[in-house]
Amino acid sequence: MEKLERIHPNRQVIPFLFMLVLVQVCSEPTTRYSILEETESGSFVAHLAKDLGLSSGDLSARSARVVSDDYKQRLLLDPMSGDLLLREKLDREELCASVDPCVLHFQVSLEKPVQYFQGELLIQDINDHSPEFPDREMLLKIPENSQQGTRFSLKLAQDLDVGSNGLQRYTVSPNSHFHVLTQNNSKGKKYPELVQDRALDREEQAELSLTITALDGGSPPRSGTAMVRILILDINDNAPKFVNTPYEVQVLESSPPGSPVLTVLAQDPDAGNFGRISYGFFQASDEIQQIFSINEVTGEIQLKKELDFEEIKSYHLEIEATDGGGLSGKGEVVIEVVDVNDNAPELTISSLTSSVPENAPETIISIFRVGDRDSGENGKVVCSIPEHLPFILKSTFKNFYTLVTESPLDRESRAEYNITITVTDMGTPRLTTQHTITVQVSDVNDNAPTFTQTSYTLFVQENNSPALHIGTISATDSDSGSNAYITYSLLPTHDLQLALSSLISINADNGQIFALRALDYEALQTFEFQVGATDQGSPALSSQALVRVLVLDANDNAPFVLYPLQNASAPCTELLPRAAEPGYLVTKVVAVDRDSGQNAWLSFQLLKATEPGLFSVWAHNGEVRTSRLLSERDAPKHRLLLLVKDNGDPPRSASVTLHVLLVDGFSQPYLPLPEVARDPAQDEDVLTLYLVIALASVSSIFLLSVLLFVGVRLCRRARAASLGGCSVPEGHFPGHLVDVNSTGTLSQSYQYEVCLRGDSGTETFISTKSVIGLQ
């Protein structure tokens, strides 16, 4: 293939700087190439990348495309090599007919930035057609009085090739009457003309047959022949003449076949057969004969097929009027085709992006070209898209438009757009072409996961089984794909006392929360922690929520008796004066339950007594009172067995044993020993010993209580982060003791302070202090 030339624009001194525009349109010089017709498809035309000063990689990166002016894709651009190739075999006669030179115009479009280059491809003719006469036999009538040197025009032969490959000359078979000359008509086409060499004698020879040959200039030349029959007629000395010539007429391209165009008229002063005129086309091409017909008798010219203004805008017809004597006159008819708006606008997509990321402004969606084959106002077009869409059209170069986003898109609001491009011409009636482009909005990770609740409260029964599912948290993400895939995690806690990783775990996929070990309400009643939800976007987005776990109490602790102490080495003995009235308070059993709620509601019951009916126990406060007056017959020592029971399900209980000693008074206790005779002085010493022991015990307990109180205060100030710290309930025992007198479990006569120490999930009572007040 041969590159013909590159036309460079004249250099001019530019006095001003042009304003920069968003889309750069380059006015590059036109590049011309040439190629022989009938070259096989895929053949190399030119190294386009080199001619444009670009590399092969630039063509691919900038989405180079080749667009032809005839709306057909006849050329192909190889983005890897930068070569311009033939997409199909080209037939010069089909593309350009008789137009010479035959030039195919095309444009090369580039993106990033947008550039356009003009190109022309010259299609060179090859000698692939032979001249052909319209008729295999022509009839020529010549009067016998025709003079030597008279010329007779014959129908020309048609050769689809052009230039040197086209029709060049005519020859005639050897004879003594005629020779042939090659002449050019008004359109520059060669036609044969017979020249009479000597006079004719009809009586000597009434008919001649000659062979005329049409030769082209190819190598080797091609030829076509036709038979010429010459009839020698009697004398006819007047040829027909057209009244008006040339004829001019306008015809709408929308006229249907069979429509009359005009009627021509010729006159011949001869009479008889010599004055009878017949009409016909003179040297009409095949195209003319396919489109028009003429009535031989009336001279009316009619349409045989529809006209197309976009293909041919005017026709020049040569007509011939021939009389009965064989003489003819020539005329000319000029037919102007009037354009009507019969072609809808055309839209050709050069570049299309079907997926656009959200939040990306000024993104090019498509580059396309619009046009209309009509002319004038019928060929002017207006391009538009719906107004409610976030897209705009920008005119870039000639009839090229760029569709871009006007503002950032939001996939969560709308994930798909159907953009209808409407192209309307300005003709009457207006014709419209619509093309719909579907644009998918691809997701960007711009939304963090959102929890269904800002905080969650979960309940779990203490002593649960390990790995128990206690609840589920949930979050949603309005993004899509991996940007919406959520994983859950436990966030680090700032509470140093809470070993969260040993208590709780969370399923990263579904947000299910599990208790890793058994929980103890008495050790840990509630705790809080933060959970996070993170998506899989880049960068990843996350959010967090608060989870509060409440441990529900179970009846897993039996009541514990605070008073009287059951683990003492010596049993505790209560003193009861014999003069006590019924209802006299002997003592009060004090007990607590580490559980809460109804599991800590305690009730007291007398199971066994030395003297049934002498003592009674109040069920709600544990007070032991006398039921009747004492008598001399009552034993001096009594043993009571009491049951302390909580209200759980199933209930738990503890028993306590009381020893009651009857005395005549606190100064002279009455301790009868029926089997041993005692000295009164010895009894007094024993009583004194008991009083000393009781006083020492009370003093020791008081001193121990004071020391315990001071230690508790110091313990509170230096409380550590572990659960094994010392805790001292203030006031009465809320939620653990039954409040009977609105002042706690104990009456006003009893006060206790208890220090509880947690160790490995259990609690041990360290010490007890009591003060007994007599009523």
Side-chain angles (χ1 to χ4, degrees):
M1 306 309 160
E2 179 184 2
K3 177 179 177 182
L4 294 182
E5 62 176 332
R6 181 186 289 270
I7 303 175
H8 296 279
N10 294 329
R11 297 182 178 178
Q12 298 179 351
V13 179
I14 304 176
F16 302 102
L17 294 176
F18 288 98
M19 182 181 298
L20 294 178
V21 293
L22 178 63
V23 180
Q24 178 182 2
V25 179
C26 292
S27 177
E28 291 291 334
T30 301
T31 305
R32 292 177 177 164
Y33 305 96
S34 65
I35 193 172
L36 293 176
E37 69 169 329
E38 301 300 329
T39 301
E40 294 297 327
S41 61
S43 298
F44 174 83
V45 177
H47 190 62
L48 187 60
K50 179 179 179 182
D51 295 338
L52 297 181
L54 302 173
S55 65
S56 301
D58 290 340
L59 295 181
S60 177
R62 297 180 63 183
S63 303
R65 291 175 176 81
V66 177
V67 182
S68 301
D69 275 359
D70 60 352
Y71 300 92
K72 294 182 179 180
Q73 197 67 25
R74 304 184 187 277
L75 299 176
L76 180 65
L77 179 60
D78 187 352
M80 302 304 296
S81 64
D83 294 338
L84 185 64
L85 308 176
L86 280 180
R87 189 184 184 91
E88 62 184 16
K89 185 185 294 186
L90 302 179
D91 187 351
R92 193 207 66 81
E93 287 75 23
E94 178 182 352
L95 293 175
C96 301
S98 60
V99 178
D100 188 34
C102 181
V103 178
L104 177 63
H105 298 274
F106 65 92
Q107 294 87 33
V108 180
S109 64
L110 301 174
E111 297 180 14
K112 301 176 183 177
V114 176
Q115 287 184 286
Y116 298 90
F117 297 89
Q118 298 284 353
E120 295 179 357
L121 179 62
L122 176 64
I123 303 173
Q124 297 179 347
D125 183 55
I126 61 174
N127 191 25
D128 57 344
H129 294 87
S130 299
E132 291 183 3
F133 287 93
D135 299 316
R136 301 294 298 174
E137 181 177 307
M138 292 181 284
L139 178 63
L140 184 62
K141 297 178 181 180
I142 301 177
E144 62 177 346
N145 62 344
S146 176
Q147 299 297 320
Q148 183 178 353
T150 302
R151 300 184 177 187
F152 304 94
S153 299
L154 301 178
K155 294 181 180 181
L156 56 80
Q158 298 284 344
D159 192 340
L160 298 180
D161 297 324
V162 296
S164 61
N165 294 325
L167 180 63
Q168 298 296 321
R169 61 192 180 91
Y170 296 89
T171 62
V172 70
S173 58
N175 66 92
S176 60
H177 294 87
F178 298 91
H179 70 274
V180 68
L181 295 178
T182 302
Q183 302 290 350
N184 292 325
N185 61 14
S186 59
K187 296 181 181 180
K189 293 188 176 182
K190 294 177 172 52
Y191 66 93
E193 200 172 58
L194 282 180
V195 181
Q196 185 175 344
D197 293 333
R198 66 180 186 138
L200 301 176
D201 186 0
R202 180 181 177 279
E203 287 71 21
E204 180 182 352
Q205 188 176 2
E207 181 177 340
L208 295 174
S209 294
L210 304 177
T211 300
I212 188 168
T213 303
L215 299 171
D216 63 19
S219 180
R222 291 173 174 264
S223 62
T225 61
M227 179 68 68
V228 179
R229 291 179 56 222
I230 301 175
L231 297 180
I232 302 174
L233 306 176
D234 287 339
I235 296 174
N236 179 24
D237 54 354
N238 290 290
K241 292 183 179 180
F242 285 95
V243 177
N244 296 312
T245 187
Y247 293 90
E248 295 182 356
V249 65
Q250 291 183 337
V251 181
L252 295 176
E253 65 170 327
S254 59
S255 300
S259 300
V261 178
L262 82 162
T263 300
V264 297
L265 177 63
Q267 296 177 348
D268 193 327
D270 292 330
N273 186 49
F274 294 137
R276 188 178 297 113
I277 300 174
S278 61
Y279 299 93
F281 294 122
F282 177 70
Q283 298 180 354
S285 64
D286 292 339
E287 183 181 22
I288 295 296
Q289 295 182 15
Q290 291 174 2
I291 297 176
F292 302 99
S293 66
I294 186 170
N295 190 302
E296 293 184 353
V297 178
T298 63
E300 182 183 57
I301 299 176
Q302 292 183 347
L303 287 177
K304 295 176 66 176
K305 60 182 293 187
E306 293 181 351
L307 304 177
D308 190 351
F309 175 83
E310 288 68 39
E311 292 185 0
I312 301 178
K313 297 177 174 54
S314 64
Y315 296 90
H316 295 266
L317 281 66
E318 291 189 12
I319 54 177
E320 182 181 40
T322 305
D323 60 19
L327 298 181
S328 61
K330 307 296 188 297
E332 184 178 358
V333 176
V334 178
I335 300 175
E336 296 289 341
V337 181
V338 179
D339 183 41
V340 296
N341 194 26
D342 59 343
N343 289 283
E346 297 179 355
L347 185 148
T348 304
I349 300 293
S350 299
S351 172
L352 177 62
T353 302
S354 59
S355 179
V356 179
E358 61 176 334
N359 301 332
E362 293 290 334
T363 302
I364 296 178
I365 305 300
S366 176
I367 298 176
F368 58 91
R369 178 186 182 188
V370 297
D372 196 312
R373 296 177 182 270
D374 295 321
S375 63
E377 290 296 318
N378 296 333
K380 294 180 180 180
V381 296
V382 176
C383 190
S384 64
I385 60 174
E387 296 181 354
H388 64 278
L389 298 178
F391 302 91
I392 56 174
L393 284 176
K394 292 184 178 181
S395 179
T396 54
F397 176 75
K398 289 187 177 180
N399 291 333
F400 282 89
Y401 287 85
T402 302
L403 177 65
V404 299
T405 57
E406 184 178 18
S407 58
L409 306 179
D410 185 8
R411 189 204 65 81
E412 288 71 38
S413 299
R414 187 168 180 179
E416 180 181 284
Y417 291 89
N418 291 319
I419 308 171
T420 300
I421 303 175
T422 302
V423 185
T424 305
D425 61 24
M426 306 305 292
T428 303
R430 294 190 176 185
L431 300 180
T432 299
T433 296
Q434 291 185 333
H435 184 82
T436 300
I437 296 176
T438 300
V439 178
Q440 302 287 340
V441 183
S442 59
D443 186 49
V444 173
N445 192 27
D446 56 349
N447 291 278
T450 302
F451 281 97
T452 56
Q453 300 174 213
T454 56
S455 63
Y456 296 83
T457 301
L458 306 180
F459 299 91
V460 57
Q461 192 81 22
E462 68 170 328
N463 303 322
N464 57 283
S465 59
L468 176 66
H469 175 224
I470 62 175
T472 302
I473 61 172
S474 177
T476 59
D477 196 316
S478 54
D479 293 321
S480 65
S482 62
N483 295 332
Y485 182 78
I486 299 174
T487 57
Y488 301 90
S489 62
L490 297 177
L491 300 181
T493 179
H494 299 290
D495 188 356
L496 300 179
Q497 299 181 3
L498 183 63
L500 186 62
S501 60
S502 65
L503 294 176
I504 295 297
S505 70
I506 187 170
N507 189 308
D509 296 325
N510 54 29
Q512 293 182 347
I513 298 178
F514 299 89
L516 295 180
R517 61 180 175 85
L519 301 178
D520 187 1
Y521 174 83
E522 289 72 34
L524 184 63
Q525 298 181 7
T526 180
F527 59 93
E528 297 178 350
F529 55 91
Q530 297 281 346
V531 293
T534 305
D535 58 28
Q536 300 299 309
S538 179
L541 301 179
S542 63
S543 61
Q544 60 185 29
L546 176 66
V547 178
R548 181 180 295 106
V549 177
L550 299 180
V551 182
L552 301 179
D553 183 49
N555 192 27
D556 58 345
N557 290 283
F560 183 83
V561 179
L562 295 177
Y563 182 83
L565 295 177
Q566 298 300 297
N567 56 353
S569 59
C572 179
T573 302
E574 301 292 341
L575 300 180
L576 175 63
R578 287 185 176 273
E581 297 292 331
Y584 177 83
L585 176 62
V586 179
T587 186
K588 181 173 182 177
V589 178
V590 181
V592 294
D593 194 316
R594 295 172 61 194
D595 296 322
S596 65
Q598 67 177 10
N599 294 330
W601 295 351
L602 302 181
S603 61
F604 301 85
Q605 180 181 357
L606 180 60
L607 294 180
K608 187 177 181 182
T610 303
E611 186 69 34
L614 179 57
F615 300 96
S616 64
V617 179
W618 286 22
H620 298 296
N621 60 10
E623 293 181 353
V624 179
R625 296 179 181 271
T626 59
S627 300
R628 58 177 177 81
L629 290 175
L630 298 175
S631 66
E632 295 295 333
R633 295 188 300 269
D634 293 326
K637 292 183 179 181
H638 292 269
R639 182 176 179 272
L640 305 179
L641 180 62
L642 283 74
L643 179 69
V644 184
K645 183 173 63 174
D646 60 24
N647 198 37
D649 184 20
R652 290 178 177 267
S653 62
S655 63
V656 57
T657 302
L658 296 178
H659 296 272
V660 180
L661 179 62
L662 302 183
V663 296
D664 291 333
F666 286 106
S667 61
Q668 294 181 349
Y670 179 71
L671 299 175
L673 296 175
E675 298 180 357
V676 179
R678 294 185 181 179
D679 185 34
Q682 186 178 2
D683 293 341
E684 183 176 354
D685 293 339
V686 173
L687 179 59
T688 302
L689 178 61
Y690 284 144
L691 290 177
V692 171
I693 293 175
L695 181 59
S697 299
V698 171
S699 300
S700 299
I701 294 174
F702 175 78
L703 181 59
L704 182 60
S705 299
V706 171
L707 294 176
L708 181 61
F709 176 80
V710 174
V712 168
R713 291 301 182 183
L714 295 177
C715 182
R716 285 184 177 177
R717 294 180 181 179
R719 179 176 298 172
S722 64
L723 296 178
C726 183
S727 61
V728 179
E730 297 180 356
H732 56 273
F733 297 82
H736 295 274
L737 302 177
V738 178
D739 191 354
V740 178
N741 299 327
S742 301
T743 60
T745 303
L746 305 182
S747 66
Q748 295 180 357
S749 302
Y750 294 85
Q751 297 179 354
Y752 294 87
E753 288 189 0
V754 182
C755 179
L756 307 181
R757 181 182 65 193
D759 186 11
S760 303
T762 63
E763 295 183 356
T764 304
F765 291 90
I766 304 301
S767 62
T768 306
K769 180 184 71 176
S770 64
V771 178
I772 303 176
L774 298 177
Q775 295 182 346

